[in-house]
Amino acid sequence: MKEICVGIIGFGTVGRGLAETLRIQQERLEARIGATIRLKTVADIACKSLPEEFAGVTLTQNATDIFTDPEIDIVVELIGGIEPAKTFLLQAIENGKHVITANKALLSTHGKEIFEAAVAKNVEVGFEASVGGGIPVIKALKEGLVANRINSIKGIMNGTANYILSQMTEHGTPFAEVLKEAQELGFAEADPTYDVEGVDTAHKLAILMTIAYGLNVNIDHINIEGISSIEPVDIDIAREFGFAIKLLAISNNHGDNVEARVHPTMVPHSHMLATIGGAFNGIHFNGDTVTDVLLYGPGAGMMPTGSAVAADVADIARNILSDSVNRVPALSYQPERMTAPVITPMSELVCAYYFRFTVSSEPGVLAAIATILGKYNISVQSIVQKELGEDQPVYLVVRSHDAQESAVNAAMAEIRVLDACLAEPLKIRILGAND
Amino acid sequence: MKEICVGIIGFGTVGRGLAETLRIQQERLEARIGATIRLKTVADIACKSLPEEFAGVTLTQNATDIFTDPEIDIVVELIGGIEPAKTFLLQAIENGKHVITANKALLSTHGKEIFEAAVAKNVEVGFEASVGGGIPVIKALKEGLVANRINSIKGIMNGTANYILSQMTEHGTPFAEVLKEAQELGFAEADPTYDVEGVDTAHKLAILMTIAYGLNVNIDHINIEGISSIEPVDIDIAREFGFAIKLLAISNNHGDNVEARVHPTMVPHSHMLATIGGAFNGIHFNGDTVTDVLLYGPGAGMMPTGSAVAADVADIARNILSDSVNRVPALSYQPERMTAPVITPMSELVCAYYFRFTVSSEPGVLAAIATILGKYNISVQSIVQKELGEDQPVYLVVRSHDAQESAVNAAMAEIRVLDACLAEPLKIRILGAND
């Protein structure tokens, strides 16, 4: 039986997940692909020895051993971060290796350079695991929904942020406390910035937009807000209003321009994205032909991510065996059809808003705020006032009808400088029932 | 630019959906595939003329014109039913054409013959649209989840049945009335047997099991029960118990044997399948590597089905262009690895049950039924009694703990012949919280 050789750079959680997957699924992959997938070499600077079940696999501290091995067909980069991951990927491509990466930070920053290098050397770049963990979302978008203009992308793409919001929702625990628990349980990184501030979600949105629209979208195109300002009171009031608060990636395709935003969002309880709890991911596409499709599954984890990387291995192995490399362009569109995006300015966004104002408990505050909102044509749908206790500030929560973001920002700027306004106003965008 | 020519047999709803999709998405498909997909010929015995937007397309009443046209690469069969669809597909294959079909009845009955013929002639068989309408579920299973032992398949795969149950749930309308409405609205066929009796769902389950497990499963392997015995009262009591009633396809993979069943099922409200309403489909897989994945979308309809068939066209076009036909085996496993299934007998199933007994309102009935249940080790979790009015029968609803189906059937046989038992007892299987 023919053999396809794989080298892995980085033997952390995902690297071990892939090695385990290839080991456990060896026979199944043979039965499906008609060839043996052989893990030949692992490169890791910290790993002293491989577990005994990988007895036949070579361990090296030098990634170059993998690029320069003529037997190795596919190089899998699983170290994360920009460097040396980028250099390794480019070296592997330069050496004519097919490459696979789960590195969304790298792809959404230097993706263009990597994909162009791969086209020049006629090798494949697999990146199924970069978005949605084990969910086969990249393949669905590139192949399953190929005959669609994607009208919108909406998704919960970061398990840590969703876990934190879910715990806050279920137990009413404040953000900082849930984050600390999540870190102790290993669900959140020691430095959780990328997860809770929306950066990781933005990396993923950039990748999805690129292949959905055929536009070279990168992280700098995405408008990003995180979830650290959300308090249990917001979650409670949202629930009363009929919403769950989720950290969403959102892109509506307006043709001439495309939205690119990541922010906490009020999602109507009737929307499937509202039902996705814990560390799971859910990614929703609206296509002009297919209408609404949602893919749900584990957005991270050793084995689920291993499943996605192994699917890339199988895909590339099949192309090697049938001599059909780049049968599907890495970015879904033929390279010469890729164009630059025009991103819709956030100021042009129109949606309903949730505002939380922290104000002093004194007469006239409501009138002052209402006057400013009215001045900017922000019409109020409902108001909730929450007393925090004697001599404490008051939360004034306003749910608006549709308003334009530029007007909202102008109103916030005026409200923020009122004497009675004691803290930065919080605004959360509301997803429409038909969105 | 290279051209791939398509012929469509059957210009009904799906045929028109495909033609429309190929027309509207022409430029996008070119940008993605790097070739033009050209609809060359439509064969339909009833269609007198094609709409004017298909001016360049030939219309014929004779399907043979398509098979024998040397320019046509891909033949799409969209007439449904067994014959002449089967003969057409085999003739197309015999003429060296790649074929695509959305015909689940045919594939789950004569699939083996068709797939073997295609292997012999080295042509492709695309059938993405046969399950889950526009949802790219076949591709997800064959490629995205390739590195998984699929442990279970659970799904809502018939939009008509789900629409009827959803309407019954929302409005409390009886089955027959909702069905009539659905027929008037065009959501249900004039002969709804296949949809409401679970046969269509079973066709789809047979196809999914085949590619998930590498087993030659056909419609005769599936245990089938429909939804026509469900009454609004069952839906109401289910809701009180914390369940939605859904027509599910279920297959648990026990290794030596596999479950294959379609029946109304009590689904816990916390399960994502419980949230899928209307005519939508949702298909859930548990894989040993990926854990839980759910795909949601439109299970039918002209354009969504067109999206799925067009994805098959694109897939096969790419294989033609890169000379990699049968790069992925049609049934996911290499043909020589396909084996015969051993189906778990329904009598061995163990789950919790919902029973509705229609009994006369007289003393001792409850005791008689409880005694029979006890005799067969069916332990009662809760009982609800519903009076239907004076001189009317009484509904006695029992929710059991886990019990074995063989014992349940024996108990039902004894209860059914009690004098006080006025109608056939209804049993609905309950999905466990961890299923």
Side-chain angles (χ1 to χ4, degrees), chain A residues 95-314:
Chain A
N95 280 274
K97 306 301 184 193
H98 304 289
V99 297
I100 295 171
T101 178
N103 194 330
K104 50 258 180 190
L106 178 58
L107 290 182
S108 61
T109 318
H110 300 281
K112 197 159 179 287
E113 185 179 347
I114 291 164
F115 289 110
E116 285 174 357
V119 168
K121 295 293 287 187
N122 195 32
V123 297
E124 302 251 350
V125 184
F127 53 103
E128 181 63 73
S130 65
V131 183
I135 310 167
V137 61
I138 301 284
K139 185 169 275 286
L141 204 45
K142 282 169 64 173
E143 303 182 41
L145 304 179
V146 64
N148 279 268
R149 174 192 193 272
I150 300 297
N151 296 321
S152 68
I153 303 167
K154 282 185 208 78
I156 295 170
M157 303 186 195
N158 183 280
T160 305
N162 201 52
Y163 173 83
I164 291 172
L165 288 172
S166 300
Q167 290 291 109
M168 289 174 72
T169 303
E170 275 172 44
H171 307 293
T173 322
F175 172 81
E177 211 170 297
V178 177
L179 174 58
K180 192 156 161 281
E181 278 170 24
Q183 285 171 323
E184 283 162 11
L185 290 166
F187 292 167
E189 308 274 344
D191 177 359
T193 316
Y194 268 29
D195 293 325
V196 303
E197 294 306 340
V199 181
D200 175 74
T201 301
H203 288 148
K204 293 164 177 170
L205 179 60
I207 293 171
L208 290 185
M209 288 177 66
T210 301
I211 59 176
Y213 306 145
L215 298 173
N216 289 307
V217 177
N218 65 50
I219 183 68
D220 299 328
H221 292 116
I222 318 284
N223 296 281
I224 312 174
E225 293 170 27
I227 60 168
S228 53
S229 309
I230 310 285
E231 295 191 9
V233 64
D234 301 311
I235 291 175
D236 286 347
I237 298 175
R239 187 190 289 120
E240 287 166 30
F241 286 159
F243 300 107
I245 300 182
K246 296 289 182 187
L247 179 63
L248 289 198
I250 300 179
S251 174
N252 290 302
N253 179 0
H254 301 298
D256 293 342
N257 57 77
V258 292
E259 292 175 23
R261 48 192 172 104
V262 171
H263 51 69
T265 310
M266 300 263 176
V267 184
H269 283 141
S270 59
H271 198 293
M272 278 194 86
L273 288 174
T275 67
I276 293 172
F280 276 81
N281 281 198
I283 301 165
H284 176 275
F285 300 109
N286 179 276
D288 63 344
T289 314
V290 77
T291 71
D292 295 293
V293 166
L294 182 136
L295 310 178
Y296 163 91
M302 172 173 163
M303 297 310 285
T305 311
S307 171
V309 180
D312 274 344
V313 171

Side-chain angles (χ1 to χ4, degrees), chain B residues 346-380:
Chain B
M346 281 302 278
S347 57
E348 291 181 10
L349 181 66
V350 174
C351 67
Y353 287 81
Y354 166 102
F355 303 110
R356 170 165 51 81
F357 304 108
T358 309
V359 295
S360 51
S361 177
E362 58 189 72
V365 177
L366 176 58
I369 289 178
T371 303
I372 295 171
L373 293 176
K375 176 176 155 192
Y376 288 101
N377 261 322
I378 300 164
S379 131
V380 172

Side-chain angles (χ1 to χ4, degrees), chain A residues 1 17 21 24-25 27-35 128 134-136 139-150 211-214 253 272 275-276 280 284 288-298 303-308 310-312 314-316 318-319 322-325 327-329 332-335 337, chain B residues 1 17 21 24-25 27-35 128 134-136 139-150 211-214 253 272 275-276 280 284 288-298 303-308 310-312 314-316 318-319 322-325 327-329 332-335 337:
Chain A
M1 189 171 281
T21 303
I24 295 169
Q25 307 291 340
E27 201 187 321
R28 179 165 290 105
L29 288 170
E30 275 179 18
R32 284 180 155 169
I33 298 171
E128 181 63 73
I135 310 167
K139 185 169 275 286
L141 204 45
K142 282 169 64 173
E143 303 182 41
L145 304 179
V146 64
N148 279 268
R149 174 192 193 272
I150 300 297
I211 59 176
Y213 306 145
N253 179 0
M272 278 194 86
T275 67
I276 293 172
F280 276 81
H284 176 275
D288 63 344
T289 314
V290 77
T291 71
D292 295 293
V293 166
L294 182 136
L295 310 178
Y296 163 91
M303 297 310 285
T305 311
S307 171
D312 274 344
D315 223 30
I316 295 177
R318 283 166 163 166
N319 283 345
S322 61
D323 197 15
S324 57
V325 164
R327 174 184 167 276
V328 180
S332 173
Y333 286 81
Q334 301 291 323
R337 298 288 192 123
Chain B
M1 188 170 281
T21 303
I24 295 170
Q25 308 290 342
E27 201 187 322
R28 180 165 288 105
L29 288 170
E30 276 180 17
R32 284 180 154 168
I33 298 171
E128 180 63 72
I135 310 168
K139 184 170 275 286
L141 204 45
K142 282 169 62 173
E143 303 184 40
L145 304 178
V146 63
N148 280 268
R149 174 192 194 271
I150 300 298
I211 58 177
Y213 306 145
N253 178 0
M272 278 195 85
T275 67
I276 292 171
F280 276 82
H284 176 275
D288 63 344
T289 314
V290 78
T291 71
D292 295 293
V293 166
L294 182 136
L295 310 178
Y296 163 89
M303 297 310 285
T305 311
S307 171
D312 274 344
D315 224 30
I316 295 176
R318 284 166 162 165
N319 282 346
S322 61
D323 198 14
S324 58
V325 164
R327 172 184 167 277
V328 179
S332 173
Y333 287 82
Q334 300 291 319
R337 298 288 192 122

